[in-house]
Each structure stands twice: as structure tokens, then as C-alpha cells.
Amino acid sequence: MVSFLICLALLIGGYFVYGKVVENTFGPDDRETPAVKINDGVDYVVLPQWKLFMIQLLNIAGLGPIFGAMQGALWGPIVFLWITFGTIFAGAVHDYFSGMMSERNNGASISEISGIYLGGFMKNVMRVFSVVLLIMVGTVFAVGPAGLIVTLFKNGGSTGIVTTTLFWLIIVLVYYFIATFISIDKIIGKIYPIFGICLIVMAVGVAVGIFVKPEYTIPEIWDHFGSMHPKGTPVWSFMFITVACGAISGFHSTQSPLMARCMKSEKQGRFVFYGAMVSEGVIALVWAAAGCALYEVTGGLNTGLAEILANGQSAAIYDVCVKTMGKVGVALAMLGVIACPITSGDTAFRSARLVLSDWFKIDQKKWKNRLLLCVPVLGVGAVLGVGNALGFIDYTVIWRYFSWTNQTLAMIVLWAASMYLYYEKKNYWITAVPATFMSAVSATYFLLGNECLGQFINHKTAEGVTVYNTALAYPIGIAVAVLFLGIFLYTIKKRHTQPHYETLGK
């Protein structure tokens, strides 16, 4: 278990060392924050730092660091490397700058921020991109918890309506509507800290359960430095897309403005944004370790993990909780796993409302204006969610589209942060390097993913096994990343003016 402990230590150390480098690069000061300056009692509300952290953690820690990390464990312990270094150098950097750039621009949504630093065309692209992503996230985080609750009731011997996904899905969506509509401190500010504690205790319980039971051993990276995926799915770039929120997530950039509107001081940013992402990385590391340690390996492949995941994500999480903590700890563990996605789903829909309000300049202080946006946003989410519950829409397809869209959004935000740092005459390489890396990841997956162009360039064997056309996709993916970096460097050499702030009335 040495690999796991080293990666855990690196994650924690990364917050104190590289997190400080990132903070010093940005340069927080004592200027008046949007929460103090605007304070509308709905979205702009001053909250204490510990609440900011707990809310941000629950906002971002949805299904990604749990389901994504377990699915990432199919490739074996090499997933630890992506979770660790991806979190420190990409994910936490992305979250910090998305939050702090919003804070510097009156708490604007990430689509508006992208427009300021990347231009009007990208602003419109990001507006559409953000709303679509947020509704998909809200849908995924409604269907997932509903399935988990059904699993609990079925395993408890219950029958009837409480064992139907549609029943719990409707309840979750009703809650989402209420949480999206009312002020942020009424529900989110009160119950999130409690759920946050449950989430942390759950992760600790799973980790301790692995360590104290001799039948479970976390494999070492150096003994399995290669893919253990039973289907032979390539590490690049599928693993980087699958882990999603456990290492870097564009979804987080849609959530960070929520807390940017509630900060009393800019100096809270490192703890709230960088710290929450590192905490999520730790959670992902624990669940990836569980995926690697608890299940049978056949012929060097994670066949046991693939088998349990084939039973559904809800069943897989329940199985991990039972194996590591027994029946006594499973209630708390499942509460954390259910609360985790629910508390990302409600803020996903809330963020969609705010993106639309910034887009169409609709003041959100009046309840009628909030209702005007809540109804269509939740309506689309309900159609997708109910469609899945009734078997018309495949949940896994929604997740795959979410994963690619998610990482592509992260790429765009990192390029926007690089342009911001250029304008501020600061070291833009701390964001440009991960932006280039994520450009390669997104472009390669877009070519190889069967829900994208992979259906045209890949082929299947007689046994139905997909053969990925990596010979074509890898060079193109790298070329796209180099091209994007070249465009960025060319742009900053040609651009001598300051960014345009007309979208925010500056």
C-alpha cells in the first residue's frame, strides 16, 4: 500500500506547496468582494470560510470522485498517478482560477468570464456549453442518487413504490427545484456542512476498512505499471476522461462562481477552491484504491471490478461500503454517497439559472424572474431523468457525454485563465501547460470515443471487441494540442490591449 500512501502525502503536500505558488501567482488582496459590494440576499451572501469550503466541496464532489474513480480503477493503480498529479497541477489550479477570476468580475458565470478573456465568440459557445453541461450534470446527479436509494430499500427487504427509481427521482427533482429557487443560505448554507462531514467520514471509513482487513491489499503502481482494463480500453485518453471530477472537471468552474459571490475576502480563495479540489482528489484516491484492492484480478486484469460495475454503479458503491465497513457503517456511507451527488445536482441547476440570468441580463432578486428560469431548466432535466427511469434514455450514454463535455470545458477555462494571467503580466505557464495537456486529452477522446467520432474510425472484431484506431487519433490529438498552444502564444504576442469588460458593464 506504499503507492497509495505516497500519493496521499503528495496530495496533501500539494495543497501547502503548489497551492501557495498558485495563490502567489494570482495575488489576492484586500479589495471589496462581490458578496460585500452587491449583497442581494439571494445569490450574493457573505458566508463564513468553513461553510464556503464545505459547500464548495459538496458542490464539486458529485459522482465523479466516486463512480469515476472506481471506473478509473479498471486500469489499475496507475490511476493513482492521474488523480494525484492531475489534482495538484490541473484540477485545483483550474478551480482556483475559475473562482478567483469570477470574484474579480463581480461573481460572473464562467461563460461571461470566458468571453472577457477569449472573446465574444467563445462567450456564446461557453454559454450554450455551460447550460447543456449543467443540465446533464443535474440529470446524472438526480438519476444516480435515486438508484442508490432504491438499492438501499431493496437490500433492506422493502417492496412497493419505495423500490422504484421514478418515485425517488421525482422527489429529488422537487428538492432541486426548491434549492434552485430560494436564496443560497436557506438550504445550501445550512445542510451542506452536515452532508460534507458525512462525505468525509465515509471516505475515511472506506480507507480504514481497506487497511484493517488483511484480505484487502492495495496493489503497488510499480508492480502494475500498465493497463489492467479487462476490455483493453486504452489508457490514453479514456482513463483521463473517465475519472473526470476526481482529477480535473470543467463542471467545477460552473460551481466556483457560487462561492465567489459569498466570500468575504480574496485570501479565502486557496482554502475554498484549491483546498476543496485537493480534498476531492483524496476522496477519489480512496475510492480508486477500493476498486483496486477489493476485487479479483484474473490474468493481470481487473475482471472482478468489471463484474461488480456491470451490476450498476449503485450496486458497486453499496458493495464497497459493505466490504469495508460492514452493515454498521453502511448507513452512514450510503448517506454520504447519496448526499454527494444530490448536493452537486441542486447547485448544477442553480448554476444553470445563473448562467442564463447573466446571459439574458435577468435580475434574480425578484422571485418571478427566478421562477422564469427555474421552470424551463428543471423541466428539461425532468424530461431527461424520467426518460432514463422509464428506459427511454440510457444513463451511461448521458454520463459519457457529460465526461467528454466536462473535460473540454476544463480545457477552455484553463485557456481563459492563461489569457487572464497574460493580461496581468504574471506566469501564465501554470495554466497554459495543463490547458495544452487537456486539449490533447479532449481531442483524442473526441476521435476515439464511440459516442463521438470513434463510431466512424474504430472497428470491431468478430467477437464484438472494439479495436481503437489509436494510430490515427494519437497524432491528431497531440497536433491539436500543439495548435491550440501555438494559437495562444501567437495571440498574446499580437494582443496589446486589455480584455473587454462590456459584458459586465465595466
Side-chain angles (χ1 to χ4, degrees):
M1 302 186 187
V2 176
S3 302
F4 173 82
L5 294 175
I6 290 175
C7 290
L8 181 62
L10 286 172
L11 275 169
I12 296 171
Y15 168 77
F16 292 102
V17 180
Y18 199 69
K20 190 64 178 176
V21 171
V22 171
E23 181 183 49
N24 289 340
T25 301
F26 179 84
D29 55 34
D30 296 321
R31 72 184 66 192
E32 194 175 43
T33 63
V36 177
K37 183 166 52 177
I38 299 174
N39 204 318
D40 63 358
V42 179
D43 297 310
Y44 293 85
V45 179
V46 175
L47 295 175
Q49 180 171 283
W50 71 273
K51 275 193 176 183
L52 291 170
F53 172 83
M54 296 301 286
I55 294 172
Q56 176 70 3
L57 176 60
L58 279 169
N59 284 354
I60 66 176
L63 297 177
I66 300 172
F67 290 158
M70 280 196 72
Q71 289 172 330
L74 285 169
W75 282 276
I78 58 169
V79 74
F80 298 167
L81 297 176
W82 171 229
I83 291 172
T84 302
F85 295 108
T87 295
I88 295 170
F89 297 108
V93 174
H94 165 278
D95 288 14
Y96 180 82
F97 277 99
S98 61
M100 296 308 290
M101 287 192 300
S102 174
E103 193 278 334
R104 285 279 172 96
N105 290 280
N106 288 337
S109 302
I110 195 60
S111 54
E112 308 304 307
I113 296 296
S114 299
I116 292 171
Y117 299 108
L118 297 179
F121 173 77
M122 190 55 68
K123 175 177 65 177
N124 290 324
V125 169
M126 286 289 285
R127 282 170 170 173
V128 176
F129 215 70
S130 298
V131 173
V132 171
L133 172 67
L134 287 165
I135 291 176
M136 282 198 294
V137 168
T139 302
V140 167
F141 291 171
V143 174
L148 288 165
I149 296 171
V150 168
T151 299
L152 273 180
F153 275 99
K154 285 183 176 178
N155 289 343
S158 300
T159 58
I161 194 170
V162 294
T163 60
T164 62
T165 303
L166 183 59
F167 172 74
W168 289 107
L169 178 63
I170 292 172
I171 290 179
V172 171
L173 287 171
V174 169
Y175 161 73
Y176 281 178
F177 183 87
I178 296 171
T180 302
F181 179 76
I182 66 176
S183 62
I184 196 167
D185 59 330
K186 290 296 188 292
I187 290 182
I188 294 174
K190 286 184 169 59
I191 67 171
Y192 272 38
I194 298 171
F195 285 147
I197 293 170
C198 291
L199 175 63
I200 293 169
V201 170
M202 173 200 65
V204 171
V206 171
V208 171
I210 299 172
F211 274 86
V212 299
K213 296 188 176 183
E215 63 267 33
Y216 303 136
T217 303
I218 303 172
E220 305 293 1
I221 296 172
W222 42 84
D223 293 332
H224 303 273
F225 199 74
S227 176
M228 298 176 68
H229 201 293
K231 293 184 178 180
T233 306
V235 173
W236 179 270
S237 61
F238 285 83
M239 186 182 75
F240 300 88
I241 291 288
T242 300
V243 174
C245 304
I248 180 172
S249 168
F251 168 66
H252 297 181
S253 68
T254 67
Q255 302 301 290
S256 294
L258 295 180
M259 293 302 95
R261 299 179 185 211
C262 299
M263 291 167 53
K264 186 177 182 179
S265 168
E266 282 194 349
K267 294 176 182 177
Q268 296 174 326
R270 179 163 70 104
F271 181 67
V272 173
F273 300 122
Y274 199 100
M277 181 59 222
V278 168
S279 299
E280 182 171 15
V282 171
I283 293 170
L285 191 67
V286 169
W287 282 96
C292 290
L294 269 57
Y295 300 101
E296 182 182 1
V297 175
T298 306
L301 302 176
N302 278 325
T303 52
L305 177 58
E307 184 178 340
I308 192 65
L309 287 172
N311 294 329
Q313 295 170 324
S314 303
I317 300 303
Y318 185 88
D319 189 65
V320 169
C321 294
V322 171
K323 279 183 166 67
T324 55
M325 290 180 283
K327 293 184 178 180
V328 176
V330 79
L332 176 63
M334 293 306 291
L335 173 63
V337 176
I338 292 168
C340 190
I342 285 180
T343 52
S344 288
D346 58 7
T347 51
F349 284 118
R350 187 182 189 91
S351 295
R353 170 174 71 79
L354 294 176
V355 170
L356 290 171
S357 69
D358 285 350
W359 185 350
F360 296 107
K361 308 288 190 297
I362 301 175
D363 177 41
Q364 294 297 282
K365 193 169 184 178
K366 297 179 180 179
W367 69 268
K368 290 182 180 179
N369 289 344
R370 297 201 299 278
L371 194 63
L372 180 67
L373 297 179
C374 284
V375 171
V377 165
L378 268 297
V380 175
V383 169
L384 292 173
V386 173
N388 171 260
L390 297 177
F392 297 119
I393 301 174
D394 187 353
Y395 173 88
T396 57
V397 172
I398 297 175
W399 177 262
R400 288 199 301 270
Y401 276 110
F402 155 68
S403 296
W404 176 77
T405 309
N406 185 45
Q407 303 303 62
T408 303
L409 178 61
M411 171 197 78
I412 296 171
V413 172
L414 285 168
W415 283 123
S418 302
M419 191 62 72
Y420 165 81
L421 289 171
Y422 164 73
Y423 282 127
E424 295 293 319
K425 297 180 173 56
K426 294 177 179 178
N427 177 21
Y428 50 76
W429 287 109
I430 65 171
T431 51
V433 170
T436 304
F437 182 86
M438 291 310 300
S439 297
V441 168
S442 293
T444 305
Y445 186 84
F446 185 72
L447 289 164
L448 290 178
N450 285 326
E451 68 274 19
C452 301
L453 296 184
Q455 57 186 305
F456 304 111
I457 71 170
N458 300 330
H459 69 275
K460 290 188 176 182
T461 64
E463 294 77 21
V465 178
T466 301
V467 178
Y468 296 95
N469 194 346
T470 56
L472 176 64
Y474 286 1
I476 293 178
I478 294 172
V480 169
V482 172
L483 175 63
F484 284 3
L485 177 61
I487 292 173
F488 169 73
L489 295 175
Y490 176 79
T491 302
I492 63 175
K493 285 185 178 181
K494 293 293 183 181
R495 188 174 294 181
H496 300 293
T497 58
Q498 288 297 306
H500 299 289
Y501 291 102
E502 56 266 34
T503 56
L504 297 178
K506 293 189 176 184

